[in-house]
Amino acid sequence: MAQRGQRGQQTAGKPRLSAEDWADAALTAISEGGLAAVAVEPLAVRLGATKGSFYWHFANRDALIEAALERWAQTETEATITELETEPDPERRLRRLFSKAMAAAAQDPLEVSLLATADDPRVRSALERVTLRRISYVARLFGELGFPEAEARHRGLLAYSTYLGHTQLAHAVPSALPSGDALRHYLETVLHPLLQRD
């Protein structure tokens, strides 16, 4: 999972913030208080910047929200896929993805916050794009494991549905989920039937 936070370059002892820094700060705000928490002045204070820095990169709050959602798609989906693709074995890729996604889901409430604001057209559009991309990638892994296309798609959807359920539980009722070795066993129990051939 990508680390969100200030990564601006230093200029005369003061950080020069990038559009990505602002987008990361907006994502942090969304994870803490939903879409309503994205406000320019509090973000500027958090970043130690002026509103002028914001307007250097963005025309308005809507543009920042769009950039933040695009940043989320890039760091939490595309970058993860790129990293996984270094592993040649599709089953190992699938196991790594599952383990990494479940751990990230428990630590970061961002996806739960985004799901809670899915009635906003911008968020809904981003969620749809990211969800379809993720399911497609997982289905591709099942396809590489030899499952026919339709079956691979069903298994990809089931795996993603499991991830979403785990994400919701991790934040709503974390005590319902196992931890430590029991969590590893649970994840293996979830993956085992998905990898089994009829």
Side-chain angles (χ1 to χ4, degrees):
M1 179 175 164
Q3 193 69 16
R4 291 188 296 274
Q6 186 174 327
R7 291 186 302 279
Q9 297 176 332
Q10 288 290 112
T11 305
K14 202 169 179 185
R16 179 185 298 158
L17 298 176
S18 67
E20 288 81 13
D21 293 321
W22 281 96
D24 286 344
L27 288 172
T28 299
I30 293 169
S31 73
E32 294 170 353
L35 204 56
V38 179
V40 176
E41 286 191 31
L43 290 179
V45 169
R46 173 178 279 190
L47 291 168
T50 64
K51 288 198 298 183
S53 169
F54 169 80
Y55 288 111
W56 178 261
H57 297 292
F58 302 103
N60 52 39
R61 176 180 179 268
D62 286 339
L64 173 60
I65 290 171
E66 291 287 352
L69 293 170
E70 185 56 41
R71 178 93 170 136
W72 169 67
Q74 178 57 43
T75 60
E76 303 305 316
T77 300
E78 298 306 327
T80 299
I81 290 171
T82 298
E83 177 190 328
L84 288 168
E85 286 298 299
T86 61
E87 168 57 60
D89 182 79
E91 184 173 332
R92 283 200 195 109
R93 262 183 279 157
L94 188 59
R95 289 179 182 282
R96 280 177 53 195
L97 174 60
F98 212 71
S99 177
K100 179 177 179 163
M102 295 300 196
Q107 294 168 4
D108 189 353
L110 177 60
E111 297 219 9
V112 172
S113 294
L114 289 172
L115 290 166
T117 56
D119 57 337
D120 181 283
R122 297 162 299 191
V123 176
R124 184 171 51 249
S125 175
L127 282 169
E128 182 176 3
R129 243 181 10 258
V130 165
T131 298
L132 293 176
R133 172 69 167 126
R134 289 173 175 181
I135 293 171
S136 174
Y137 179 70
V138 176
R140 193 189 97 198
L141 294 180
F142 281 112
E144 289 178 25
L145 288 168
F147 292 98
E149 185 177 344
E151 183 65 22
R153 170 86 180 158
H154 289 150
R155 289 175 190 245
L157 180 58
L158 183 56
Y160 195 71
S161 299
T162 301
Y163 160 74
L164 285 181
H166 183 91
T167 300
Q168 293 283 2
L169 276 175
H171 294 282
V173 191
S175 61
L177 295 173
S179 60
D181 287 339
L183 176 60
R184 283 186 285 281
H185 180 69
Y186 159 74
L187 293 179
E188 184 56 40
T189 303
V190 170
L191 271 176
H192 183 72
L194 289 171
L195 291 167
Q196 287 294 103
R197 284 159 179 78
D198 296 333

